PDB file of all heavy atoms in Angstrom:
ATOM      1  N   THR L 152      -1.594   1.028   8.871  1.00 98.00           N
ATOM      2  CA  THR L 152      -0.291   0.941   9.526  1.00 98.00           C
ATOM      3  C   THR L 152       0.345  -0.427   9.304  1.00 98.00           C
ATOM      4  O   THR L 152       1.575  -0.548   9.269  1.00 98.00           O
ATOM      5  CB  THR L 152      -0.451   1.200  11.032  1.00 98.00           C
ATOM      6  OG1 THR L 152      -1.626   0.519  11.498  1.00 98.00           O
ATOM      7  CG2 THR L 152      -0.614   2.690  11.304  1.00 98.00           C
ATOM      8  N   ARG L 153      -0.464  -1.461   9.162  1.00 98.00           N
ATOM      9  CA  ARG L 153       0.065  -2.808   8.937  1.00 98.00           C
ATOM     10  C   ARG L 153       0.648  -2.954   7.528  1.00 98.00           C
ATOM     11  O   ARG L 153       1.677  -3.611   7.335  1.00 98.00           O
ATOM     12  CB  ARG L 153      -1.019  -3.863   9.167  1.00 98.00           C
ATOM     13  CG  ARG L 153      -1.618  -3.846  10.569  1.00 98.00           C
ATOM     14  CD  ARG L 153      -2.479  -5.082  10.812  1.00 98.00           C
ATOM     15  NE  ARG L 153      -3.295  -4.945  12.012  1.00 98.00           N
ATOM     16  CZ  ARG L 153      -2.874  -5.179  13.249  1.00 98.00           C
ATOM     17  NH1 ARG L 153      -1.634  -5.545  13.457  1.00 98.00           N
ATOM     18  NH2 ARG L 153      -3.704  -5.047  14.285  1.00 98.00           N
ATOM     19  N   SER L 154      -0.011  -2.354   6.536  1.00 98.00           N
ATOM     20  CA  SER L 154       0.443  -2.502   5.146  1.00 98.00           C
ATOM     21  C   SER L 154       1.461  -1.450   4.742  1.00 98.00           C
ATOM     22  O   SER L 154       2.049  -1.543   3.656  1.00 98.00           O
ATOM     23  CB  SER L 154      -0.761  -2.449   4.197  1.00 98.00           C
ATOM     24  OG  SER L 154      -1.459  -1.215   4.328  1.00 98.00           O
ATOM     25  N   GLY L 155       1.659  -0.444   5.578  1.00 98.00           N
ATOM     26  CA  GLY L 155       2.671   0.570   5.276  1.00 98.00           C
ATOM     27  C   GLY L 155       2.192   1.708   4.410  1.00 98.00           C
ATOM     28  O   GLY L 155       3.010   2.483   3.902  1.00 98.00           O
ATOM     29  N   ILE L 156       0.875   1.856   4.228  1.00 98.00           N
ATOM     30  CA  ILE L 156       0.367   2.956   3.394  1.00 98.00           C
ATOM     31  C   ILE L 156       0.170   4.181   4.296  1.00 98.00           C
ATOM     32  O   ILE L 156      -0.936   4.522   4.716  1.00 98.00           O
ATOM     33  CB  ILE L 156      -0.926   2.557   2.654  1.00 98.00           C
ATOM     34  CG1 ILE L 156      -0.688   1.289   1.841  1.00 98.00           C
ATOM     35  CG2 ILE L 156      -1.381   3.690   1.730  1.00 98.00           C
ATOM     36  CD1 ILE L 156       0.408   1.406   0.786  1.00 98.00           C
ATOM     37  N   TYR L 157       1.282   4.800   4.600  1.00 98.00           N
ATOM     38  CA  TYR L 157       1.354   5.998   5.447  1.00 98.00           C
ATOM     39  C   TYR L 157       2.761   6.548   5.299  1.00 98.00           C
ATOM     40  O   TYR L 157       3.657   5.827   4.837  1.00 98.00           O
ATOM     41  CB  TYR L 157       1.061   5.650   6.915  1.00 98.00           C
ATOM     42  CG  TYR L 157       2.137   4.792   7.558  1.00 98.00           C
ATOM     43  CD1 TYR L 157       3.267   5.372   8.174  1.00 98.00           C
ATOM     44  CD2 TYR L 157       2.089   3.396   7.505  1.00 98.00           C
ATOM     45  CE1 TYR L 157       4.281   4.593   8.722  1.00 98.00           C
ATOM     46  CE2 TYR L 157       3.102   2.625   8.050  1.00 98.00           C
ATOM     47  CZ  TYR L 157       4.185   3.230   8.652  1.00 98.00           C
ATOM     48  OH  TYR L 157       5.190   2.456   9.189  1.00 98.00           O
ATOM     49  N   PRO L 158       3.067   7.774   5.662  1.00 98.00           N
ATOM     50  CA  PRO L 158       2.128   8.853   5.999  1.00 98.00           C
ATOM     51  C   PRO L 158       1.598   9.511   4.727  1.00 98.00           C
ATOM     52  O   PRO L 158       2.249   9.498   3.684  1.00 98.00           O
ATOM     53  CB  PRO L 158       3.017   9.816   6.790  1.00 98.00           C
ATOM     54  CG  PRO L 158       4.366   9.664   6.154  1.00 98.00           C
ATOM     55  CD  PRO L 158       4.479   8.210   5.776  1.00 98.00           C
ATOM     56  N   GLY L 159       0.426  10.092   4.791  1.00 97.00           N
ATOM     57  CA  GLY L 159      -0.129  10.791   3.647  1.00 97.00           C
ATOM     58  C   GLY L 159      -0.563   9.846   2.540  1.00 97.00           C
ATOM     59  O   GLY L 159      -1.055   8.743   2.799  1.00 97.00           O
ATOM     60  N   VAL L 160      -0.351  10.281   1.297  1.00 98.00           N
ATOM     61  CA  VAL L 160      -0.860   9.546   0.139  1.00 98.00           C
ATOM     62  C   VAL L 160       0.253   9.278  -0.864  1.00 98.00           C
ATOM     63  O   VAL L 160       1.334   9.860  -0.809  1.00 98.00           O
ATOM     64  CB  VAL L 160      -2.005  10.322  -0.549  1.00 98.00           C
ATOM     65  CG1 VAL L 160      -3.138  10.578   0.423  1.00 98.00           C
ATOM     66  CG2 VAL L 160      -1.506  11.637  -1.151  1.00 98.00           C
ATOM     67  N   LEU L 161      -0.050   8.388  -1.804  1.00 98.00           N
ATOM     68  CA  LEU L 161       0.877   8.044  -2.882  1.00 98.00           C
ATOM     69  C   LEU L 161       0.751   9.038  -4.037  1.00 98.00           C
ATOM     70  O   LEU L 161      -0.318   9.615  -4.267  1.00 98.00           O
ATOM     71  CB  LEU L 161       0.611   6.629  -3.372  1.00 98.00           C
ATOM     72  CG  LEU L 161       0.957   5.535  -2.335  1.00 98.00           C
ATOM     73  CD1 LEU L 161       0.153   4.271  -2.600  1.00 98.00           C
ATOM     74  CD2 LEU L 161       2.449   5.235  -2.347  1.00 98.00           C
ATOM     75  N   TYR L 162       1.842   9.195  -4.789  1.00 96.00           N
ATOM     76  CA  TYR L 162       1.894  10.142  -5.900  1.00 96.00           C
ATOM     77  C   TYR L 162       2.240   9.422  -7.203  1.00 96.00           C
ATOM     78  O   TYR L 162       2.631   8.242  -7.185  1.00 96.00           O
ATOM     79  CB  TYR L 162       2.906  11.250  -5.587  1.00 96.00           C
ATOM     80  CG  TYR L 162       2.393  12.194  -4.525  1.00 96.00           C
ATOM     81  CD1 TYR L 162       2.581  11.929  -3.172  1.00 96.00           C
ATOM     82  CD2 TYR L 162       1.647  13.328  -4.875  1.00 96.00           C
ATOM     83  CE1 TYR L 162       2.079  12.772  -2.192  1.00 96.00           C
ATOM     84  CE2 TYR L 162       1.139  14.181  -3.907  1.00 96.00           C
ATOM     85  CZ  TYR L 162       1.360  13.900  -2.575  1.00 96.00           C
ATOM     86  OH  TYR L 162       0.842  14.728  -1.608  1.00 96.00           O
ATOM     87  N   PRO L 163       2.107  10.099  -8.350  1.00 95.00           N
ATOM     88  CA  PRO L 163       2.373   9.436  -9.635  1.00 95.00           C
ATOM     89  C   PRO L 163       3.737   8.759  -9.715  1.00 95.00           C
ATOM     90  O   PRO L 163       3.867   7.687 -10.298  1.00 95.00           O
ATOM     91  CB  PRO L 163       2.255  10.579 -10.646  1.00 95.00           C
ATOM     92  CG  PRO L 163       1.287  11.530 -10.021  1.00 95.00           C
ATOM     93  CD  PRO L 163       1.563  11.463  -8.551  1.00 95.00           C
ATOM     94  N   GLY L 164       4.761   9.363  -9.118  1.00 96.00           N
ATOM     95  CA  GLY L 164       6.096   8.793  -9.179  1.00 96.00           C
ATOM     96  C   GLY L 164       6.511   8.028  -7.937  1.00 96.00           C
ATOM     97  O   GLY L 164       7.693   7.700  -7.779  1.00 96.00           O
ATOM     98  N   SER L 165       5.567   7.725  -7.053  1.00 97.00           N
ATOM     99  CA  SER L 165       5.913   7.012  -5.822  1.00 97.00           C
ATOM    100  C   SER L 165       6.581   5.678  -6.118  1.00 97.00           C
ATOM    101  O   SER L 165       6.143   4.919  -6.989  1.00 97.00           O
ATOM    102  CB  SER L 165       4.663   6.775  -4.965  1.00 97.00           C
ATOM    103  OG  SER L 165       4.206   7.981  -4.389  1.00 97.00           O
ATOM    104  N   ILE L 166       7.632   5.383  -5.381  1.00 98.00           N
ATOM    105  CA  ILE L 166       8.352   4.123  -5.557  1.00 98.00           C
ATOM    106  C   ILE L 166       7.572   2.972  -4.943  1.00 98.00           C
ATOM    107  O   ILE L 166       7.565   1.850  -5.468  1.00 98.00           O
ATOM    108  CB  ILE L 166       9.757   4.246  -4.923  1.00 98.00           C
ATOM    109  CG1 ILE L 166      10.578   5.296  -5.678  1.00 98.00           C
ATOM    110  CG2 ILE L 166      10.472   2.903  -4.906  1.00 98.00           C
ATOM    111  CD1 ILE L 166      11.859   5.704  -4.987  1.00 98.00           C
ATOM    112  N   GLY L 167       6.891   3.233  -3.831  1.00 98.00           N
ATOM    113  CA  GLY L 167       6.135   2.198  -3.145  1.00 98.00           C
ATOM    114  C   GLY L 167       4.689   2.115  -3.592  1.00 98.00           C
ATOM    115  O   GLY L 167       4.221   2.852  -4.471  1.00 98.00           O
ATOM    116  N   GLY L 168       3.962   1.203  -2.968  1.00 98.00           N
ATOM    117  CA  GLY L 168       2.547   0.997  -3.248  1.00 98.00           C
ATOM    118  C   GLY L 168       2.016  -0.075  -2.316  1.00 98.00           C
ATOM    119  O   GLY L 168       2.727  -0.558  -1.424  1.00 98.00           O
ATOM    120  N   LEU L 169       0.768  -0.464  -2.498  1.00 98.00           N
ATOM    121  CA  LEU L 169       0.206  -1.526  -1.667  1.00 98.00           C
ATOM    122  C   LEU L 169       1.025  -2.794  -1.884  1.00 98.00           C
ATOM    123  O   LEU L 169       1.075  -3.318  -3.002  1.00 98.00           O
ATOM    124  CB  LEU L 169      -1.263  -1.780  -2.030  1.00 98.00           C
ATOM    125  CG  LEU L 169      -1.965  -2.838  -1.182  1.00 98.00           C
ATOM    126  CD1 LEU L 169      -2.117  -2.362   0.263  1.00 98.00           C
ATOM    127  CD2 LEU L 169      -3.336  -3.183  -1.765  1.00 98.00           C
ATOM    128  N   PRO L 170       1.699  -3.290  -0.837  1.00 98.00           N
ATOM    129  CA  PRO L 170       2.573  -4.461  -1.023  1.00 98.00           C
ATOM    130  C   PRO L 170       1.831  -5.629  -1.663  1.00 98.00           C
ATOM    131  O   PRO L 170       0.672  -5.909  -1.328  1.00 98.00           O
ATOM    132  CB  PRO L 170       3.011  -4.787   0.409  1.00 98.00           C
ATOM    133  CG  PRO L 170       2.936  -3.483   1.140  1.00 98.00           C
ATOM    134  CD  PRO L 170       1.733  -2.783   0.551  1.00 98.00           C
ATOM    135  N   LEU L 171       2.513  -6.299  -2.571  1.00 98.00           N
ATOM    136  CA  LEU L 171       1.865  -7.381  -3.316  1.00 98.00           C
ATOM    137  C   LEU L 171       1.585  -8.595  -2.443  1.00 98.00           C
ATOM    138  O   LEU L 171       0.803  -9.467  -2.843  1.00 98.00           O
ATOM    139  CB  LEU L 171       2.732  -7.774  -4.514  1.00 98.00           C
ATOM    140  CG  LEU L 171       2.983  -6.649  -5.535  1.00 98.00           C
ATOM    141  CD1 LEU L 171       3.803  -7.156  -6.708  1.00 98.00           C
ATOM    142  CD2 LEU L 171       1.672  -6.030  -6.018  1.00 98.00           C
ATOM    143  N   ASN L 172       2.175  -8.658  -1.258  1.00 97.00           N
ATOM    144  CA  ASN L 172       1.857  -9.761  -0.362  1.00 97.00           C
ATOM    145  C   ASN L 172       0.637  -9.488   0.506  1.00 97.00           C
ATOM    146  O   ASN L 172       0.211 -10.348   1.275  1.00 97.00           O
ATOM    147  CB  ASN L 172       3.057 -10.132   0.518  1.00 97.00           C
ATOM    148  CG  ASN L 172       3.502  -8.999   1.425  1.00 97.00           C
ATOM    149  OD1 ASN L 172       2.968  -7.893   1.355  1.00 97.00           O
ATOM    150  ND2 ASN L 172       4.485  -9.259   2.270  1.00 97.00           N
ATOM    151  N   GLU L 173       0.072  -8.282   0.389  1.00 98.00           N
ATOM    152  CA  GLU L 173      -1.218  -8.011   1.025  1.00 98.00           C
ATOM    153  C   GLU L 173      -2.322  -8.675   0.201  1.00 98.00           C
ATOM    154  O   GLU L 173      -2.251  -8.718  -1.035  1.00 98.00           O
ATOM    155  CB  GLU L 173      -1.476  -6.515   1.127  1.00 98.00           C
ATOM    156  CG  GLU L 173      -0.587  -5.797   2.133  1.00 98.00           C
ATOM    157  CD  GLU L 173      -0.958  -6.097   3.574  1.00 98.00           C
ATOM    158  OE1 GLU L 173      -2.125  -6.424   3.847  1.00 98.00           O
ATOM    159  OE2 GLU L 173      -0.065  -5.998   4.437  1.00 98.00           O
ATOM    160  N   THR L 174      -3.347  -9.175   0.857  1.00 98.00           N
ATOM    161  CA  THR L 174      -4.440  -9.871   0.173  1.00 98.00           C
ATOM    162  C   THR L 174      -5.649  -8.958   0.075  1.00 98.00           C
ATOM    163  O   THR L 174      -6.191  -8.518   1.093  1.00 98.00           O
ATOM    164  CB  THR L 174      -4.822 -11.158   0.924  1.00 98.00           C
ATOM    165  OG1 THR L 174      -3.668 -11.983   1.071  1.00 98.00           O
ATOM    166  CG2 THR L 174      -5.898 -11.926   0.161  1.00 98.00           C
ATOM    167  N   THR L 175      -6.076  -8.672  -1.149  1.00 98.00           N
ATOM    168  CA  THR L 175      -7.228  -7.801  -1.377  1.00 98.00           C
ATOM    169  C   THR L 175      -8.525  -8.602  -1.425  1.00 98.00           C
ATOM    170  O   THR L 175      -8.510  -9.839  -1.529  1.00 98.00           O
ATOM    171  CB  THR L 175      -7.079  -7.027  -2.691  1.00 98.00           C
ATOM    172  OG1 THR L 175      -7.151  -7.964  -3.789  1.00 98.00           O
ATOM    173  CG2 THR L 175      -5.755  -6.270  -2.745  1.00 98.00           C
ATOM    174  N   ILE L 176      -9.644  -7.895  -1.392  1.00 98.00           N
ATOM    175  CA  ILE L 176     -10.952  -8.548  -1.540  1.00 98.00           C
ATOM    176  C   ILE L 176     -10.989  -9.358  -2.828  1.00 98.00           C
ATOM    177  O   ILE L 176     -11.486 -10.488  -2.853  1.00 98.00           O
ATOM    178  CB  ILE L 176     -12.082  -7.497  -1.540  1.00 98.00           C
ATOM    179  CG1 ILE L 176     -12.156  -6.763  -0.207  1.00 98.00           C
ATOM    180  CG2 ILE L 176     -13.425  -8.162  -1.851  1.00 98.00           C
ATOM    181  CD1 ILE L 176     -13.129  -5.587  -0.189  1.00 98.00           C
ATOM    182  N   ALA L 177     -10.454  -8.792  -3.911  1.00 98.00           N
ATOM    183  CA  ALA L 177     -10.450  -9.503  -5.196  1.00 98.00           C
ATOM    184  C   ALA L 177      -9.696 -10.820  -5.090  1.00 98.00           C
ATOM    185  O   ALA L 177     -10.122 -11.855  -5.644  1.00 98.00           O
ATOM    186  CB  ALA L 177      -9.840  -8.617  -6.283  1.00 98.00           C
ATOM    187  N   GLU L 178      -8.567 -10.804  -4.373  1.00 98.00           N
ATOM    188  CA  GLU L 178      -7.772 -12.031  -4.232  1.00 98.00           C
ATOM    189  C   GLU L 178      -8.439 -13.046  -3.311  1.00 98.00           C
ATOM    190  O   GLU L 178      -8.212 -14.255  -3.445  1.00 98.00           O
ATOM    191  CB  GLU L 178      -6.376 -11.663  -3.734  1.00 98.00           C
ATOM    192  CG  GLU L 178      -5.548 -10.948  -4.798  1.00 98.00           C
ATOM    193  CD  GLU L 178      -4.276 -10.333  -4.258  1.00 98.00           C
ATOM    194  OE1 GLU L 178      -4.326  -9.701  -3.177  1.00 98.00           O
ATOM    195  OE2 GLU L 178      -3.230 -10.468  -4.927  1.00 98.00           O
TER     196      GLU L 178
END
């Protein structure tokens, strides 16, 4: 809910995605 990955799931043509200002384990 904090990163906005809702409702449901992303699709091949989805405009959005995991925001680049979110920090991943890799980062």
Side-chain angles (χ1 to χ4, degrees):
T152 42
R153 301 191 193 278
S154 59
I156 305 300
Y157 68 87
V160 302
L161 292 155
Y162 288 87
S165 288
I166 295 168
L169 182 67
L171 299 182
N172 62 356
E173 290 287 334
T174 304
T175 67
I176 296 173
E178 289 169 316

